[in-house]
Amino acid sequence: MNFDGLDSGLGEYSSSLHPGIDPSLDSSIEHSLDPRLDPSLLQNVELEADGVQLDGMSVSGPESVHLVEGMYSELHRVVAEVGVPVTASHFDLQDELLWVGNHGGHATSFFGPTMERYSSFQVNATDDIRHIQSIESGVLFLNKNNLKCFTRGGLIMFDYVMDEAEDMHSLLLTDNNSVLLGGLQNHVIEVDLNAVQENEKYTVEVPGVTIMRQSNRFFFCGHTSGKVSLRDLRSFKVEHEFDAYSGSLSDLDVHGNLLVTCGFSNRMNGLSCDRFLMVYDLRMMRAISPLQ
């Protein structure tokens, strides 16, 4: 994220959650929500009898790529499964792999700059993949009510099953070899990855923890209500709260002493994308000039 427009002094310190999106935005997001891919991507593709290709394939991009400093440019394009929406992605922290999980519960990994398919396997037969996290021994996949760990080749290592009432959406790997699991319920679960069992269940005052981040001072929990809560690393108690958006939170990130959020606002009896990135100074615990 580019913070060039901010005070230079700040950088010196070390299923659908949005059902009511404003209809006026449909024209701009219609293509991204359409399960049918761009027809140009389907050229020279041999489909199975049911019309879906299960094997990953590489799609050639432009022969020459011109990179502009400070800009993003497409380097490569790949199709994991034709017609199946991607629900999660993750760059492997140990190997040169990109992991992709889809709505059908299938995971695929791609290797290197050319994004050649490395492995592909089914994680869950009924639920979509909501979060992916690599660890040294394997890869964690979070579904609605279970957490699974697979080797990078697709062999299952463990399957931690939660109550059927759980509706998990976020996963955060902590420093003590455990993970925090949050979702639409009023608690966050800590799971020990060594023993594969629940360590603690923390009650949250505002249900709907769908985004979690960590700094050396706080756990940051993003809520579907548009709030961001800053919690103590040991007790998980709320230390500070920010009302970022009136509708819902889409994402957040922490950089040094800056917290940046994006989300939705309530307008015309529905949700619409807020054009402002809200920025908070974590030294003063207050909002500063937003970005747009």
Side-chain angles (χ1 to χ4, degrees):
M1 184 174 292
N2 189 351
F3 296 91
D4 293 341
L6 299 174
D7 182 359
S8 58
L10 293 174
E12 297 176 359
Y13 296 83
S14 341
S15 277
S16 176
L17 301 180
H18 314 299
I21 294 180
D22 189 343
S24 64
L25 298 174
D26 288 349
S27 59
S28 62
I29 64 174
E30 179 179 358
H31 179 74
S32 63
L33 297 179
D34 190 345
R36 297 169 298 177
L37 298 176
D38 188 335
S40 64
L41 299 180
L42 301 179
Q43 296 178 2
N44 302 321
V45 178
E46 294 182 2
L47 301 178
E48 300 293 340
D50 57 0
V52 176
Q53 180 187 354
L54 296 180
D55 293 333
M57 67 176 184
S58 174
V59 179
S60 299
E63 293 184 0
S64 61
V65 178
H66 301 283
L67 298 180
V68 181
E69 186 176 355
M71 301 292 290
Y72 292 101
S73 301
E74 180 180 317
L75 295 178
H76 205 72
R77 186 180 301 182
V78 68
V79 177
E81 291 189 42
V82 176
V84 183
V86 171
T87 55
S89 61
H90 172 72
F91 281 106
D92 200 302
L93 301 180
Q94 277 73 34
D95 294 317
E96 194 175 350
L97 296 172
L98 170 64
W99 288 94
V100 174
N102 67 23
H103 187 72
H106 198 84
T108 305
S109 63
F110 300 95
F111 175 75
T114 58
M115 297 183 70
E116 297 182 8
R117 191 167 71 97
Y118 176 80
S119 62
S120 185
F121 48 90
Q122 194 71 25
V123 173
N124 194 291
T126 58
D127 294 324
D128 58 332
I129 296 174
R130 299 184 174 182
H131 201 111
I132 304 173
Q133 175 66 55
S134 59
I135 56 177
E136 185 174 353
S137 58
V139 183
L140 301 171
F141 298 92
L142 180 66
N143 298 103
K144 179 181 178 181
N145 52 27
N146 75 311
L147 174 69
K148 293 185 179 182
C149 185
F150 286 81
T151 66
R152 288 167 173 80
L155 298 178
I156 190 166
M157 300 175 65
F158 68 75
D159 182 2
Y160 177 74
V161 180
M162 290 165 273
D163 190 276
E164 291 185 0
E166 305 285 7
D167 193 354
M168 294 297 179
H169 283 268
S170 57
L171 178 153
L172 179 64
L173 185 66
T174 66
D175 298 332
N176 58 350
N177 203 32
S178 64
V179 291
L180 295 175
L181 306 178
L184 300 186
Q185 53 283 331
N186 63 349
H187 56 260
V188 171
I189 298 175
E190 181 182 12
V191 177
D192 186 333
L193 294 179
N194 292 322
V196 193
Q197 65 182 16
E198 179 182 311
N199 268 355
E200 194 73 54
K201 182 179 288 187
Y202 302 104
T203 300
V204 293
E205 298 75 12
V206 181
V209 178
T210 56
I211 307 163
M212 290 190 289
R213 301 284 186 267
Q214 182 180 358
S215 71
N216 58 356
R217 296 175 60 194
F218 301 110
F219 288 125
F220 297 81
C221 295
H223 300 260
T224 54
S225 63
K227 288 180 178 290
V228 180
S229 58
L230 285 59
R231 296 178 176 272
D232 182 81
L233 294 177
R234 294 185 177 181
S235 65
F236 209 71
K237 292 182 178 179
V238 175
E239 299 290 335
H240 301 278
E241 262 189 354
F242 298 121
D243 289 315
Y245 298 97
S246 60
S248 183
L249 197 68
S250 179
D251 203 358
L252 65 88
D253 204 359
V254 183
H255 179 81
N257 283 290
L258 292 176
L259 166 67
V260 182
T261 67
C262 60
F264 298 83
S265 297
N266 285 318
R267 294 176 187 169
M268 303 294 291
N269 297 322
L271 295 179
S272 61
C273 291
D274 198 299
R275 62 192 181 97
F276 290 101
L277 292 176
M278 302 303 296
V279 185
Y280 299 90
D281 184 346
L282 298 178
R283 296 168 301 177
M284 305 297 293
M285 290 299 170
R286 63 178 179 85
I288 59 178
S289 299
L291 301 175
Q292 68 175 18

